[in-house]
Amino acid sequence: MDKEIMNYINSVLRPMAKADGGDLLCTEINDNTLIINAYGDCATCNSCGEDIQWWLNKKIESKFHQHFSIKIIKNIPYFDQ
């Protein structure tokens, strides 16, 4: 099931983030925690936190009927800090 969820995030939800200039990549599911790497506009956006967590959980719950804790790792380029 973890592989299906990661595939859904990376192949369905990720393009939605890319359309807005950002990028979200699920790299791991550890116990009940999704590890999401945020890049581009997603990494620097003020909504990258609770809003993104809410959106991801809403989409995942509607498809898989499962709720996760989400850890977002913001990969901000050194020149943007």
Side-chain angles (χ1 to χ4, degrees):
M1 178 71 103
D2 287 357
K3 198 152 188 98
E4 288 178 51
I5 294 169
M6 285 181 68
N7 185 49
Y8 174 72
I9 293 168
N10 293 333
S11 65
V12 176
L13 302 181
R14 185 178 187 198
M16 293 178 189
K18 284 186 159 202
D20 284 338
D23 196 4
L24 297 172
L25 178 64
C26 182
T27 56
E28 182 181 348
I29 298 178
N30 188 357
D31 293 326
N32 198 40
T33 301
L34 296 174
I35 309 299
I36 305 288
N37 283 278
Y39 301 93
D41 288 348
C42 285
T44 58
C45 180
N46 291 333
S47 295
C48 189
E50 289 182 16
D51 292 341
I52 294 289
Q53 292 172 355
W54 173 84
W55 177 72
L56 288 168
N57 261 318
K58 179 181 167 193
K59 295 291 190 181
I60 292 165
E61 283 179 11
S62 68
K63 177 137 180 97
F64 297 99
H65 309 289
Q66 196 169 351
H67 184 83
F68 288 92
S69 294
I70 298 175
K71 179 179 179 183
I72 297 178
I73 300 168
K74 295 181 180 184
N75 294 283
I76 301 172
Y78 69 91
F79 50 85
D80 285 344
Q81 294 183 15

